[in-house]
Every structure is written in C-alpha cells, then in structure tokens.
Amino acid sequence: MFKQICFFRKRPDMTLGEFMDYYENQHSQLGKKIGKPGIPNAVRYVRRYLTPVMNPVTGEIHDPGYDCVMEIWWNSRADFENSQRIIRDPARLPHTIEDEKKLFATHANPICIVEEHDSPVGPDGKIYDWVPVPRE
C-alpha cells in the first residue's frame, strides 16, 4: 500500500462549514464533472477536517496551521506515479487549478508520501485495522 497526505488551508473568507461543503460536494467530485477519474487507481480517498481544541497541558487552543488533512491510498508506487501524471495532464490541470482557487488559500500546500509503522495497542496488545466495539 502506498499513501500520500496533503495539508490544506481554506480560503480566509470561508467558514469551515462552507469549506467542507464545497470540498465534499464540488471539489472531491471534480473528476466526474470533467469525465475522468478524480484520482486514477486510488483505493481510498479521505478528507479529515480539523477543529482545534484545548491543549490539556497548557489550557490554550493552538492553530494547527491547516483546516484539512487529505489522505489517498494506492496499491503501489507505480499506481501513485501514474495518477500524478494524469492529474498533471495539461488538458486537465486548468480545471483543477480553477476549482482549487474557490477552495484553498494557496496552491502551495505541503504534500508528503507516508511510511507507516503500527504498534500493538489495546487490552490484548494487537494491531487492528479497525477499532473493535465491545459487546455487552
């Protein structure tokens, strides 16, 4: 599995609700609108919207610097590279750039590939792909 994470800041004139609404109902659907896969060969595409809360140690609320962390998974690095090539296609890129202007504060968003390492947690010391729900 190959994973990419992107960090996004909303436009300053948008509320978090407006940002989430546009991202979920417009931007994340952009590929369908132009008749091409949004993120070719991706196996999972997740947006995680951030709401800062009080730090229990300092009692302060700290701005994390971003409003959304986006994650995308592919089965291989080759699938990722092919997806990036398609996204950069000169025929497609102007549509993406114009839509992002309606959403993001900038196009200078940090993008990272991720190497994950799991640690056993929980009462039985296992690594879970899901969170077990206790049965009553």
Side-chain angles (χ1 to χ4, degrees):
M1 197 61 68
F2 191 85
K3 183 177 179 180
Q4 176 187 53
I5 295 181
C6 304
F7 300 88
F8 298 122
R9 187 103 172 136
K10 66 179 181 59
R11 284 187 2 208
D13 62 325
M14 298 179 90
T15 66
L16 184 58
E18 290 168 334
F19 177 72
M20 290 171 61
D21 180 63
Y22 191 87
Y23 204 150
E24 293 304 309
N25 297 305
Q26 301 296 320
H27 189 71
S28 69
Q29 306 298 315
L30 188 58
K32 291 179 187 176
K33 293 178 183 180
I34 61 174
K36 299 186 181 211
I39 305 167
N41 296 322
V43 295
R44 190 167 182 210
Y45 171 39
V46 176
R47 280 92 39 225
R48 301 181 190 281
Y49 299 99
L50 307 177
T51 301
V53 296
M54 185 183 71
N55 178 314
V57 175
T58 66
E60 299 173 309
I61 297 175
H62 301 279
D63 182 350
Y66 299 98
D67 299 296
C68 178
V69 176
M70 184 208 47
E71 299 174 82
I72 308 171
W73 290 260
W74 289 269
N75 285 320
S76 68
R77 180 160 193 129
D79 284 345
F80 162 76
E81 296 292 346
N82 185 53
S83 175
Q84 301 305 288
R85 181 186 56 76
I86 291 168
I87 291 169
R88 286 190 304 264
D89 181 328
R92 178 185 175 139
L93 203 51
H95 299 287
T96 302
I97 290 171
E98 281 307 307
D99 193 67
E100 287 186 355
K101 286 179 184 176
K102 298 174 185 172
L103 184 63
F104 302 129
T106 179
H107 288 289
N109 301 304
I111 299 174
C112 308
I113 54 174
V114 177
E115 180 178 326
E116 293 184 338
H117 298 265
D118 286 330
S119 295
V121 296
D124 52 2
K126 292 183 180 178
I127 295 175
Y128 292 99
D129 288 331
W130 52 273
V131 177
V133 177
R135 294 182 182 211
E136 294 181 30

